[in-house]
mmCIF file of all heavy atoms in Angstrom:
data_model
loop_
_atom_site.group_PDB
_atom_site.id
_atom_site.type_symbol
_atom_site.label_atom_id
_atom_site.label_comp_id
_atom_site.label_asym_id
_atom_site.label_seq_id
_atom_site.Cartn_x
_atom_site.Cartn_y
_atom_site.Cartn_z
ATOM 1 N N VAL A 113 0.177 23.713 6.505
ATOM 2 C CA VAL A 113 1.361 24.152 5.787
ATOM 3 C C VAL A 113 2.535 24.192 6.742
ATOM 4 O O VAL A 113 2.482 25.084 7.660
ATOM 5 C CB VAL A 113 1.082 25.459 5.013
ATOM 6 C CG1 VAL A 113 2.396 25.892 4.264
ATOM 7 C CG2 VAL A 113 -0.098 25.457 4.205
ATOM 8 N N ALA A 114 3.464 23.330 6.605
ATOM 9 C CA ALA A 114 4.612 23.244 7.509
ATOM 10 C C ALA A 114 5.799 23.978 6.802
ATOM 11 O O ALA A 114 6.147 23.662 5.681
ATOM 12 C CB ALA A 114 4.987 21.822 7.801
ATOM 13 N N VAL A 115 6.359 25.013 7.500
ATOM 14 C CA VAL A 115 7.437 25.779 6.932
ATOM 15 C C VAL A 115 8.675 25.575 7.791
ATOM 16 O O VAL A 115 8.605 25.766 9.024
ATOM 17 C CB VAL A 115 7.046 27.304 6.866
ATOM 18 C CG1 VAL A 115 8.159 28.122 6.313
ATOM 19 C CG2 VAL A 115 5.716 27.435 6.176
ATOM 20 N N ASP A 116 9.802 25.269 7.230
ATOM 21 C CA ASP A 116 11.064 25.215 8.031
ATOM 22 C C ASP A 116 12.317 25.329 7.113
ATOM 23 O O ASP A 116 12.274 24.836 5.978
ATOM 24 C CB ASP A 116 11.071 23.906 8.865
ATOM 25 C CG ASP A 116 11.935 24.069 10.112
ATOM 26 O OD1 ASP A 116 13.111 24.200 10.073
ATOM 27 O OD2 ASP A 116 11.218 24.113 11.159
ATOM 28 N N ILE A 117 13.270 25.848 7.705
ATOM 29 C CA ILE A 117 14.594 25.957 7.074
ATOM 30 C C ILE A 117 15.351 24.576 7.023
ATOM 31 O O ILE A 117 16.192 24.322 6.216
ATOM 32 C CB ILE A 117 15.490 27.071 7.708
ATOM 33 C CG1 ILE A 117 16.651 27.462 6.830
ATOM 34 C CG2 ILE A 117 15.943 26.616 9.109
ATOM 35 C CD1 ILE A 117 17.307 28.758 7.366
ATOM 36 N N SER A 118 14.996 23.767 8.053
ATOM 37 C CA SER A 118 15.636 22.404 8.176
ATOM 38 C C SER A 118 14.794 21.428 7.349
ATOM 39 O O SER A 118 13.954 20.717 7.801
ATOM 40 C CB SER A 118 15.596 22.030 9.665
ATOM 41 O OG SER A 118 16.429 20.898 9.938
ATOM 42 N N VAL A 119 15.137 21.461 6.007
ATOM 43 C CA VAL A 119 14.197 20.956 5.001
ATOM 44 C C VAL A 119 14.003 19.410 5.164
ATOM 45 O O VAL A 119 12.854 18.924 5.168
ATOM 46 C CB VAL A 119 14.746 21.289 3.580
ATOM 47 C CG1 VAL A 119 13.647 20.836 2.558
ATOM 48 C CG2 VAL A 119 14.931 22.793 3.436
ATOM 49 N N GLU A 120 15.108 18.739 5.311
ATOM 50 C CA GLU A 120 14.972 17.246 5.372
ATOM 51 C C GLU A 120 14.167 16.797 6.678
ATOM 52 O O GLU A 120 13.362 15.929 6.595
ATOM 53 C CB GLU A 120 16.428 16.642 5.626
ATOM 54 C CG GLU A 120 16.950 15.915 4.425
ATOM 55 C CD GLU A 120 18.309 15.365 4.803
ATOM 56 O OE1 GLU A 120 19.276 16.130 4.686
ATOM 57 O OE2 GLU A 120 18.297 14.240 5.240
ATOM 58 N N PHE A 121 14.537 17.476 7.771
ATOM 59 C CA PHE A 121 13.885 17.086 9.091
ATOM 60 C C PHE A 121 12.369 17.421 8.970
ATOM 61 O O PHE A 121 11.541 16.658 9.455
ATOM 62 C CB PHE A 121 14.551 17.931 10.147
ATOM 63 C CG PHE A 121 14.135 17.555 11.557
ATOM 64 C CD1 PHE A 121 14.650 16.431 12.200
ATOM 65 C CD2 PHE A 121 13.198 18.335 12.274
ATOM 66 C CE1 PHE A 121 14.285 16.100 13.472
ATOM 67 C CE2 PHE A 121 12.846 17.954 13.571
ATOM 68 C CZ PHE A 121 13.381 16.881 14.164
ATOM 69 N N MET A 122 12.052 18.567 8.369
ATOM 70 C CA MET A 122 10.605 18.969 8.174
ATOM 71 C C MET A 122 9.949 17.895 7.288
ATOM 72 O O MET A 122 8.843 17.462 7.679
ATOM 73 C CB MET A 122 10.585 20.383 7.534
ATOM 74 C CG MET A 122 9.222 20.825 7.209
ATOM 75 S SD MET A 122 8.714 20.384 5.505
ATOM 76 C CE MET A 122 9.672 21.520 4.592
ATOM 77 N N ARG A 123 10.568 17.538 6.218
ATOM 78 C CA ARG A 123 9.911 16.621 5.279
ATOM 79 C C ARG A 123 9.612 15.265 5.920
ATOM 80 O O ARG A 123 8.511 14.776 5.901
ATOM 81 C CB ARG A 123 10.852 16.394 4.024
ATOM 82 C CG ARG A 123 10.257 15.530 2.969
ATOM 83 C CD ARG A 123 11.381 14.943 2.111
ATOM 84 N NE ARG A 123 12.329 14.190 2.914
ATOM 85 C CZ ARG A 123 13.616 14.034 2.726
ATOM 86 N NH1 ARG A 123 14.112 14.585 1.583
ATOM 87 N NH2 ARG A 123 14.363 13.352 3.433
ATOM 88 N N ASP A 124 10.571 14.744 6.713
ATOM 89 C CA ASP A 124 10.412 13.460 7.382
ATOM 90 C C ASP A 124 9.293 13.545 8.403
ATOM 91 O O ASP A 124 8.435 12.672 8.574
ATOM 92 C CB ASP A 124 11.668 12.975 8.067
ATOM 93 C CG ASP A 124 12.769 12.687 7.017
ATOM 94 O OD1 ASP A 124 12.484 12.697 5.797
ATOM 95 O OD2 ASP A 124 13.923 12.482 7.455
ATOM 96 N N SER A 125 9.259 14.719 9.155
ATOM 97 C CA SER A 125 8.252 14.876 10.247
ATOM 98 C C SER A 125 6.908 14.988 9.647
ATOM 99 O O SER A 125 5.897 14.432 10.133
ATOM 100 C CB SER A 125 8.612 16.163 10.993
ATOM 101 O OG SER A 125 9.889 16.101 11.532
ATOM 102 N N LEU A 126 6.759 15.752 8.545
ATOM 103 C CA LEU A 126 5.498 15.985 7.894
ATOM 104 C C LEU A 126 4.962 14.679 7.278
ATOM 105 O O LEU A 126 3.723 14.399 7.417
ATOM 106 C CB LEU A 126 5.643 17.010 6.826
ATOM 107 C CG LEU A 126 4.386 17.548 6.202
ATOM 108 C CD1 LEU A 126 3.478 18.250 7.224
ATOM 109 C CD2 LEU A 126 4.718 18.587 5.046
ATOM 110 N N GLN A 127 5.850 13.867 6.716
ATOM 111 C CA GLN A 127 5.418 12.619 6.099
ATOM 112 C C GLN A 127 4.826 11.699 7.231
ATOM 113 O O GLN A 127 3.854 11.033 7.029
ATOM 114 C CB GLN A 127 6.521 11.957 5.327
ATOM 115 C CG GLN A 127 6.580 12.596 3.906
ATOM 116 C CD GLN A 127 7.817 12.235 3.153
ATOM 117 O OE1 GLN A 127 8.760 11.708 3.686
ATOM 118 N NE2 GLN A 127 7.750 12.468 1.852
ATOM 119 N N GLN A 128 5.478 11.703 8.400
ATOM 120 C CA GLN A 128 5.025 10.907 9.451
ATOM 121 C C GLN A 128 3.609 11.384 9.933
ATOM 122 O O GLN A 128 2.735 10.578 10.133
ATOM 123 C CB GLN A 128 6.037 11.005 10.626
ATOM 124 C CG GLN A 128 5.575 10.303 11.912
ATOM 125 C CD GLN A 128 5.252 8.798 11.737
ATOM 126 O OE1 GLN A 128 5.888 8.164 10.960
ATOM 127 N NE2 GLN A 128 4.200 8.340 12.455
ATOM 128 N N LEU A 129 3.426 12.738 10.027
ATOM 129 C CA LEU A 129 2.231 13.271 10.455
ATOM 130 C C LEU A 129 1.004 12.910 9.475
ATOM 131 O O LEU A 129 -0.080 12.656 9.786
ATOM 132 C CB LEU A 129 2.354 14.770 10.628
ATOM 133 C CG LEU A 129 1.143 15.512 11.348
ATOM 134 C CD1 LEU A 129 0.937 15.030 12.792
ATOM 135 C CD2 LEU A 129 1.390 17.008 11.330
ATOM 136 N N LYS A 130 1.412 12.931 8.148
ATOM 137 C CA LYS A 130 0.432 12.633 7.131
ATOM 138 C C LYS A 130 -0.008 11.131 7.239
ATOM 139 O O LYS A 130 -1.201 10.888 6.980
ATOM 140 C CB LYS A 130 1.039 12.958 5.684
ATOM 141 C CG LYS A 130 0.250 12.649 4.572
ATOM 142 C CD LYS A 130 -0.963 13.653 4.379
ATOM 143 C CE LYS A 130 -1.785 13.355 3.131
ATOM 144 N NZ LYS A 130 -2.977 14.184 3.071
ATOM 145 N N ARG A 131 0.886 10.351 7.620
ATOM 146 C CA ARG A 131 0.488 8.886 7.855
ATOM 147 C C ARG A 131 -0.538 8.771 8.992
ATOM 148 O O ARG A 131 -1.384 7.960 8.881
ATOM 149 C CB ARG A 131 1.764 7.995 8.076
ATOM 150 C CG ARG A 131 2.505 7.670 6.795
ATOM 151 C CD ARG A 131 3.497 6.650 7.016
ATOM 152 N NE ARG A 131 4.718 7.097 7.762
ATOM 153 C CZ ARG A 131 5.794 7.676 7.146
ATOM 154 N NH1 ARG A 131 5.800 7.855 5.804
ATOM 155 N NH2 ARG A 131 6.784 8.139 7.880
ATOM 156 N N GLU A 132 -0.306 9.649 10.065
ATOM 157 C CA GLU A 132 -1.249 9.564 11.139
ATOM 158 C C GLU A 132 -2.588 10.151 10.800
ATOM 159 O O GLU A 132 -3.592 9.747 11.353
ATOM 160 C CB GLU A 132 -0.610 10.336 12.371
ATOM 161 C CG GLU A 132 0.595 9.632 12.922
ATOM 162 C CD GLU A 132 1.406 10.594 13.888
ATOM 163 O OE1 GLU A 132 0.750 11.523 14.463
ATOM 164 O OE2 GLU A 132 2.589 10.368 14.113
ATOM 165 N N LEU A 133 -2.540 11.248 9.990
ATOM 166 C CA LEU A 133 -3.812 12.008 9.739
ATOM 167 C C LEU A 133 -3.964 12.229 8.236
ATOM 168 O O LEU A 133 -3.777 13.370 7.701
ATOM 169 C CB LEU A 133 -3.682 13.381 10.481
ATOM 170 C CG LEU A 133 -3.648 13.286 11.952
ATOM 171 C CD1 LEU A 133 -2.995 14.522 12.628
ATOM 172 C CD2 LEU A 133 -5.094 13.140 12.570
ATOM 173 N N PRO A 134 -4.268 11.166 7.497
ATOM 174 C CA PRO A 134 -4.264 11.260 6.018
ATOM 175 C C PRO A 134 -5.354 12.206 5.461
ATOM 176 O O PRO A 134 -5.218 12.626 4.324
ATOM 177 C CB PRO A 134 -4.543 9.771 5.605
ATOM 178 C CG PRO A 134 -4.977 9.050 6.792
ATOM 179 C CD PRO A 134 -4.528 9.807 7.964
ATOM 180 N N ALA A 135 -6.338 12.474 6.253
ATOM 181 C CA ALA A 135 -7.460 13.319 5.730
ATOM 182 C C ALA A 135 -7.097 14.811 5.585
ATOM 183 O O ALA A 135 -7.735 15.522 4.800
ATOM 184 C CB ALA A 135 -8.733 13.178 6.580
ATOM 185 N N ILE A 136 -6.095 15.202 6.297
ATOM 186 C CA ILE A 136 -5.699 16.645 6.203
ATOM 187 C C ILE A 136 -4.756 16.840 5.027
ATOM 188 O O ILE A 136 -3.707 16.103 4.939
ATOM 189 C CB ILE A 136 -5.013 17.117 7.538
ATOM 190 C CG1 ILE A 136 -5.937 16.883 8.725
ATOM 191 C CG2 ILE A 136 -4.597 18.589 7.433
ATOM 192 C CD1 ILE A 136 -5.270 17.185 10.090
ATOM 193 N N GLU A 137 -5.018 17.881 4.164
ATOM 194 C CA GLU A 137 -4.130 18.219 3.164
ATOM 195 C C GLU A 137 -2.827 18.758 3.723
ATOM 196 O O GLU A 137 -2.954 19.615 4.640
ATOM 197 C CB GLU A 137 -4.748 19.229 2.155
ATOM 198 C CG GLU A 137 -3.841 19.632 1.078
ATOM 199 C CD GLU A 137 -4.442 20.884 0.195
ATOM 200 O OE1 GLU A 137 -5.609 21.131 0.438
ATOM 201 O OE2 GLU A 137 -3.704 21.398 -0.528
ATOM 202 N N MET A 138 -1.683 18.282 3.369
ATOM 203 C CA MET A 138 -0.409 18.743 3.996
ATOM 204 C C MET A 138 0.575 19.215 2.923
ATOM 205 O O MET A 138 0.838 18.492 1.958
ATOM 206 C CB MET A 138 0.210 17.645 4.865
ATOM 207 C CG MET A 138 -0.672 17.279 6.067
ATOM 208 S SD MET A 138 0.167 16.399 7.319
ATOM 209 C CE MET A 138 -1.265 15.931 8.373
#
Side-chain angles (χ1 to χ4, degrees):
V113 181
V115 181
D116 208 288
I117 197 169
S118 190
V119 184
E120 251 183 273
F121 189 78
M122 175 269 286
R123 186 201 54 212
D124 295 351
S125 307
L126 188 62
Q127 278 168 345
Q128 174 56 36
L129 191 63
K130 179 72 178 172
R131 282 192 283 274
E132 292 168 22
L133 295 155
I136 303 175
E137 180 188 348
M138 295 197 188

